[in-house]
Amino acid sequence: MLDIFEIQMPMKILILRFSSIGDIVLTTPVIRAIKTHDQAIEVHYATKAAYREILEQNPYIDKLHLLTNTISDLIKQLKMEKFDYVIDLHRNLRTQLIKWNLKCKSYAFDKINFKKWLIVNTKVNLLPSKHIVERYMETLDPLGIKADTLGLDYFIPHKDEVELSWLPETHRQGFIAVVIGAKFATKQLPENRIIELCDRINQPIVLLGGPEDQEAGERISAFFEQSEDQLIEEEIIKTQLGKKSVVFNACGKFNLNQSASLIKQSTAVFTHDTGLMHVAAAFKKKIFSIWGNTIPEFGMYPYKTQFVIFENKKINCRPCSKIGFDKCPKGHFKCMDDLAFDFYFPDL
């Protein structure tokens, strides 16, 4: 009879990470490591509904749990699964509440918040020389699961693959992606510096960003168009610069997966410290990574891909935050205004 046999159920592991784009992409090596360690393990992932498109095509995830209403509703859903382990890659009050209710063994990554506070406020650097992916992977050590060397993952559904015919003819033989947006203003180049950067690139360029970046993208792309009613200030800059780049503004015109598709098809990517930087790393693009008030030493520089760091190390006020501000707290914004664009593009 069946009741005299012990039925071995598959192990279930729940991964928690609720935001944001870059942080979630950075968890993908953990997802893959668990699933490839033992295909019988059921890998579940809980995140906010707003980020489902980042994960719903991931073949290493067996089930996605979305926070759409209240945390109580999500907890009820999760309790029905009877997980063996929880891997907490967010470690905040919300994940603490989930773990307390699920009452199973859990492991959480070290956010090193005190060390971040220390370097921001005293400039004493005790940060570990580890990428955040390595710290994420340490949560799997008790399970005997090790990292591979494959880097980050990003899976684009077929419906969101962008055809080159959707782009201007000038961009169909190759283009450089320039990500102009960032969550905080102090992580973002001012528009005049983005114009300078685009001119220096001197190649067909696709500007990437969200709907909130669309107007800035239009101003930047318009700068490189020939017109009779350009502002005097622009004429001065055009004399000083070459105005040779051909710029297409894609900000707000494509969803996240479509923007990822454009990054995948680009020759190289210039980007701030933002989510699309990690998407570019997933596609092994050469990345020119631009840093303002934050620093690569926080451990979120491009992972497992070739990259160049642009940062102003001649000032002593960086980092002024582990995240960012709406404006420079010192009032000078030298981390971005005085940043040197030291690259020779034809060598790429």
Side-chain angles (χ1 to χ4, degrees):
M1 295 177 62
L2 288 176
D3 59 357
I4 68 172
F5 294 101
E6 182 180 352
I7 300 176
Q8 186 68 38
M9 299 299 291
M11 182 185 295
K12 284 187 178 183
I13 296 179
L14 172 66
I15 300 171
L16 300 175
R17 181 74 219 191
F18 288 101
S19 64
S20 51
I21 294 171
D23 297 287
I24 293 171
V25 173
L26 288 165
T27 69
T28 56
V30 175
I31 303 168
R32 185 179 64 246
I34 295 172
K35 193 64 178 178
T36 56
H37 177 77
D38 185 345
Q39 292 288 333
I41 297 175
E42 281 192 22
V43 180
H44 295 232
Y45 198 114
T47 192
K48 290 181 181 177
Y51 302 111
R52 70 179 301 164
E53 62 186 323
I54 303 172
L55 297 168
E56 61 185 351
Q57 296 295 313
N58 192 312
Y60 303 111
I61 296 176
D62 294 291
K63 189 172 182 179
L64 201 56
H65 302 271
L66 301 174
L67 177 60
T68 54
N69 296 310
T70 66
I71 191 66
S72 298
D73 290 338
L74 178 61
I75 288 172
K76 289 177 183 177
Q77 179 188 146
L78 296 175
K79 287 175 76 172
M80 296 174 62
E81 297 289 348
K82 302 188 185 304
F83 292 107
D84 296 286
Y85 297 98
V86 174
I87 304 300
D88 183 359
L89 302 182
H90 205 136
R91 198 169 186 173
N92 62 6
L93 290 176
R94 179 183 287 139
T95 61
Q96 286 292 104
L97 184 61
I98 290 172
K99 290 184 292 185
W100 185 84
N101 277 274
L102 294 185
K103 293 180 171 56
C104 61
K105 190 69 176 177
S106 65
Y107 302 101
F109 95 111
D110 183 1
K111 296 181 79 168
I112 60 172
N113 281 338
F114 175 72
K115 293 177 181 178
K116 289 179 181 177
W117 179 92
L118 200 63
I119 192 170
V120 167
N121 292 279
T122 71
K123 303 304 180 272
V124 173
N125 186 1
L126 298 180
L127 296 170
S129 298
K130 290 182 179 180
H131 196 282
I132 192 172
V133 171
E134 296 175 46
R135 293 195 285 117
Y136 281 162
M137 286 301 307
E138 288 174 351
T139 60
L140 302 182
D141 286 348
L143 302 178
I145 299 175
K146 303 300 181 184
D148 56 32
T149 60
L150 300 179
L152 308 178
D153 285 326
Y154 197 97
F155 300 95
I156 303 171
H158 179 71
K159 66 181 179 63
D160 286 329
E161 291 284 4
V162 174
E163 301 288 340
L164 286 177
S165 61
W166 300 0
L167 300 179
E169 189 171 346
T170 50
H171 291 66
R172 295 174 190 173
Q173 300 303 313
F175 61 89
I176 308 303
V178 177
V179 181
I180 69 170
K183 188 173 182 180
F184 295 94
T186 51
K187 296 175 75 173
Q188 185 174 2
L189 284 168
E191 285 183 29
N192 66 308
R193 300 241 56 206
I194 296 176
I195 289 171
E196 181 185 344
L197 175 63
C198 290
D199 186 82
R200 177 69 187 272
I201 291 171
N202 197 25
Q203 298 282 340
I205 292 168
V206 172
L207 301 180
L208 294 176
E212 68 278 5
D213 303 307
Q214 189 166 10
E215 291 185 8
E218 286 301 315
R219 290 191 293 269
I220 294 165
S221 60
F223 178 87
F224 291 92
E225 295 174 357
Q226 297 290 341
S227 65
E228 298 178 356
D229 58 350
Q230 291 166 329
L231 298 176
I232 295 176
E233 293 88 340
E234 290 184 347
E235 289 294 340
I236 295 173
I237 299 175
K238 289 167 197 167
T239 302
Q240 296 172 343
L241 302 176
K243 197 188 173 187
K244 299 174 183 177
S245 298
V246 182
V247 180
F248 172 67
N249 177 30
C251 298
K253 298 175 183 177
F254 298 91
N255 64 30
L256 176 59
N257 282 333
Q258 291 169 332
S259 295
S261 177
L262 288 169
I263 283 177
K264 182 180 177 182
Q265 297 179 77
S266 68
T267 303
V269 180
F270 287 75
T271 175
H272 303 117
D273 169 24
T274 189
L276 287 181
M277 178 177 73
H278 303 299
V279 173
F283 294 119
K284 303 297 186 291
K285 294 298 171 179
K286 178 159 187 179
I287 297 172
F288 293 81
S289 182
I290 302 163
W291 296 75
N293 77 285
T294 55
I295 56 174
E297 287 82 356
F298 284 150
M300 299 185 71
Y301 48 88
Y303 185 67
K304 298 289 185 184
T305 194
Q306 188 179 8
F307 64 92
V308 175
I309 294 288
F310 294 146
E311 60 179 332
N312 184 357
K313 287 195 167 187
K314 296 180 180 179
I315 54 177
N316 59 15
C317 52
R318 293 179 64 241
C320 60
S321 166
K322 66 178 183 179
I323 303 175
F325 296 107
D326 291 334
K327 61 181 180 179
C328 173
K330 296 286 187 180
H332 55 65
F333 207 28
K334 290 183 179 180
C335 61
M336 285 301 196
D337 285 338
D338 294 349
L339 187 66
F341 299 132
D342 187 14
F343 66 94
Y344 183 60
F345 197 77
D347 281 346
L348 294 182

